[in-house]
Amino acid sequence: TFFLTLAGFIEEPERKYCFECDSEEQCQEWIEALKRASYEFMRRSLIFYRNEIQKMTGKDPLEQYGISEEARFQLGTRK
């Protein structure tokens, strides 16, 4: 049995999470799943797909939602 212990999240810094896994591979799968669910991963995905759609259509897909030029700039420049 393998254990994966994670520190708390921003909202609950004192809370700890423990995942019990049958193998080291399963621990790695949990780690990857948690990374994919993170804000940073989602933000990077949004930037990538926004740029791909803009290349294909010539239009910014976020424009219809009233996202300001400043917000689009921030989305495009953070790494």
Side-chain angles (χ1 to χ4, degrees):
T1 300
F2 293 83
F3 293 96
L4 173 63
T5 303
L6 301 173
F9 294 93
I10 293 172
E11 299 84 27
E12 302 175 290
E14 69 286 342
R15 189 170 181 180
K16 305 280 187 260
Y17 296 86
C18 184
F19 296 85
E20 184 175 340
C21 306
D22 294 327
S23 67
E24 189 172 342
E25 180 181 284
Q26 195 177 48
C27 284
Q28 289 303 315
E29 289 172 5
W30 268 110
I31 291 168
E32 289 305 313
L34 291 167
K35 283 180 185 177
R36 287 190 305 273
S38 73
Y39 170 81
E40 184 61 25
F41 180 84
M42 297 293 182
R43 187 185 68 77
R44 287 181 184 190
S45 295
L46 171 65
I47 292 167
F48 172 79
Y49 289 116
R50 174 186 160 241
N51 289 334
E52 290 299 304
I53 291 169
Q54 195 165 12
K55 284 181 206 173
M56 292 171 63
T57 66
K59 295 180 181 178
D60 184 346
L62 299 181
E63 190 174 323
Q64 65 182 324
Y65 298 105
I67 296 177
S68 70
E69 286 293 327
E70 181 179 307
R72 281 183 256 170
F73 176 77
Q74 290 172 355
L75 280 174
T77 58
R78 285 182 59 182
K79 294 191 178 202

